[in-house]
């Protein structure tokens, strides 16, 4: 496995760890404050691997068709895991989560069809913006949850924070589908050009 791909795999390995860090304190009422101190810094470090794998792949000429597929897969594996956690606590509305899950499975299907036609769909600007919004929204929700676990949420304007979180997730949904449409249009153009040759 190339170094860039190994960095991507960190997100896949961390996803179930995050899930346990998030829910074990809820299930057992143990390690509540510990989880609040640990989850956010760890998630920031893991999300940073998304930048590192792309940077390393370009700098060391490790850009590959496998990496173009594996990197977004690792992103979604992590983000959907965290989103389900936030939805459980009501930070992410289900009416936003479900369409996002549908979008990501739809995108996975498009990538599989593209591979069948010998095309590896790389990340485009719309997809990168969507990923940044996923990260920002998730970090925001996790920061609010950490405040509750550290027992100083009563000093915060919780209702306002939840509304801000909802606005961020609405942006996630908008950019998710805008980028999805862009990917489909781009893939159809590439496929049409490929078949014309």
């Amino acid at each position: 496995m190339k170094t860039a791909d190994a960095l991507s795999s960190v997100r896949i390995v961390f996803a179930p760890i995050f899930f346990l860090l998030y829910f074990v304190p809820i299930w057992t009422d143990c390690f509540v404050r510990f989880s609040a101190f640990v989850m956010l810094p760890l998630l920031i470090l893991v999300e940073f691997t998304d930048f590192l794998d792309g940077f390393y792949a370009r700098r060391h000429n490790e850009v590959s068709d496998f990496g173009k597929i594996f990197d977004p897969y690792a992103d979604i594996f992590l983000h959907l895991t965290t989103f389900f956690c936030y939805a459980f606590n009501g930070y992410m509305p289900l009416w936003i989560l479900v369409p996002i899950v549908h979008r990501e499975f739809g995108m996975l299907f498009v990538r599989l069809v593209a591979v069948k036609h010998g095309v590896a769909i790389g990340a485009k600007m719309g997809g990168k913006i969507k990923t940044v919004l996923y990260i920002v929204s998730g970090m925001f929700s996790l920061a609010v949850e950490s405040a509750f676990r550290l027992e100083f949420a009563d000093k915060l304007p919780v209702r306002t924070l939840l509304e801000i979180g909802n606005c961020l997730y609405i942006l996630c949904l908008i950019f998710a589908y805008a980028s999805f449409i862009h990917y489909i249009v781009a893939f159809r153009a590439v496929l049409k050009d490929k078949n014309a040759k």
Side-chain angles (χ1 to χ4, degrees):
M1 181 178 283
K2 296 179 180 179
T3 303
D5 298 330
L7 287 167
S8 296
S9 68
V10 170
R11 298 195 291 285
I12 294 175
V13 172
F14 179 73
I17 295 174
F18 178 88
F19 182 85
L20 291 174
L21 282 171
Y22 195 93
F23 278 108
V24 165
I26 294 173
W27 296 332
T28 65
D29 203 29
C30 298
F31 311 111
V32 177
R33 294 179 69 86
F34 172 80
S35 67
F37 283 117
V38 168
M39 284 191 298
L40 191 57
L42 274 180
L43 187 60
I44 290 171
L45 287 174
V46 171
E47 291 286 12
F48 188 58
T49 63
D50 190 22
F51 165 78
L52 290 178
D53 59 21
F55 175 80
Y56 195 91
R58 290 186 295 272
R59 184 165 187 174
H60 296 274
N61 198 27
E62 289 189 1
V63 177
S64 65
D65 288 346
F66 174 79
K68 289 178 182 178
I69 297 170
F70 188 56
D71 176 57
Y73 171 76
D75 287 345
I76 294 309
F77 195 86
L78 174 62
H79 293 150
L80 290 185
T81 300
T82 59
F83 283 174
F84 275 109
C85 294
Y86 307 143
F88 176 84
N89 282 111
Y91 299 120
M92 184 178 196
L94 284 176
W95 64 268
I96 292 179
L97 174 61
V98 172
I100 282 180
V101 171
H102 291 167
R103 183 271 186 201
E104 298 304 341
F105 275 99
M107 191 64 220
L108 177 61
F109 176 76
V110 170
R111 290 185 189 279
L112 290 174
V113 173
V115 168
K116 184 179 173 74
H117 288 85
V119 178
I121 301 178
K124 298 190 177 300
M125 184 54 66
K128 291 179 180 179
I129 294 173
K130 176 219 70 170
T131 299
V132 170
L133 283 170
Y134 279 14
I135 293 170
V136 171
S137 302
M139 295 290 184
F140 185 84
S141 293
L142 186 56
V144 175
E145 173 63 15
S146 297
F148 275 105
R149 296 189 183 199
L150 293 173
E151 299 179 352
F152 63 80
D154 57 331
K155 301 177 182 177
L156 301 174
V158 176
R159 185 178 180 84
T160 301
L161 292 174
L162 292 176
E163 289 175 354
I164 292 172
N166 284 341
C167 290
L168 287 172
Y169 285 122
I170 290 171
L171 286 175
C172 287
L173 183 62
I174 292 170
F175 274 89
Y177 276 88
S179 65
F180 184 46
I181 293 169
H182 184 207
Y183 278 117
I184 291 175
V185 171
F187 169 60
R188 288 182 63 184
V190 170
L191 186 60
K192 183 177 180 180
D193 183 60
K194 188 180 179 70
N195 290 335
K197 292 180 179 178

